Amino acid sequence: MDTLYIEATKSSPFVKYNIESNTLEITGECYPENAVKFFSPVFEWLNTETKKLDTPVLTVNLNISYFNSSSSKALMNFFDMLEEAYDNGKKINVNWIYMEENETAEECGEEFQEDLETLPFNLVVLNSGQTI
């Protein structure tokens, strides 16, 4: 799989695909002025790379502490793409990571989880000071 790297900004998350661990990481706050534009390279990468995915499990770790409504829609599209790949036999595991005190992130993760029918979607709670 090819690399994907997007540097974080004040309003957009850090995005990185780690080839060695076969892990896609999206971390930070997500309220870009144009969510479609921000997520476009992520969608392009996902569309291309999931077709190449064979044996290893692609782990997707999302640790997004805050996002706006347009990013929420983009994230749902992202999860739909992952679920479609999963339904087509690709091995994918999603971890929604949130801090224990961030009830909003927990609730959003639960809502995403409920909207997905087959994609493995785990809620991972971190205690204060804990990292993944």
Side-chain angles (χ1 to χ4, degrees):
M1 292 179 76
D2 291 331
T3 60
L4 174 66
Y5 185 88
I6 302 171
E7 194 67 48
T9 68
K10 179 184 172 207
S11 62
S12 64
F14 171 75
V15 179
K16 180 182 178 186
Y17 172 68
N18 183 315
I19 295 171
E20 289 79 32
S21 64
N22 205 34
T23 302
L24 176 61
E25 176 184 350
I26 302 177
T27 305
E29 294 188 348
C30 189
Y31 56 98
E33 188 173 315
N34 185 337
V36 172
K37 183 178 178 183
F38 173 79
F39 277 98
S40 181
V42 177
F43 292 160
E44 288 174 25
W45 179 88
L46 191 62
N47 189 44
T48 302
E49 298 304 319
T50 55
K51 291 175 185 169
K52 298 179 191 177
L53 188 61
D54 287 335
T55 318
V57 175
L58 172 63
T59 300
V60 180
N61 292 326
L62 294 110
N63 187 347
I64 301 175
S65 55
Y66 171 80
F67 55 91
N68 62 8
S69 58
S70 63
S71 294
S72 176
K73 180 165 176 38
L75 286 168
M76 197 62 233
N77 291 338
F78 175 72
F79 297 138
D80 286 344
M81 290 176 73
L82 289 171
E83 188 164 58
E84 183 178 342
Y86 180 81
D87 290 344
N88 287 322
K90 305 304 180 181
K91 297 175 185 168
I92 301 170
N93 188 41
V94 177
N95 296 311
W96 180 265
I97 304 162
Y98 62 94
M99 296 303 295
E100 182 177 35
E101 62 274 5
N102 190 341
E103 292 178 13
T104 302
E106 178 182 13
E107 291 169 5
C108 290
E110 290 170 348
E111 289 177 16
F112 286 133
Q113 187 181 49
E114 289 172 8
D115 288 341
L116 298 166
E117 296 178 18
T118 57
L119 181 69
F121 191 97
N122 307 299
L123 300 174
V124 181
V125 61
L126 297 179
N127 298 316
S128 294
Q130 185 181 4
T131 60
I132 191 163

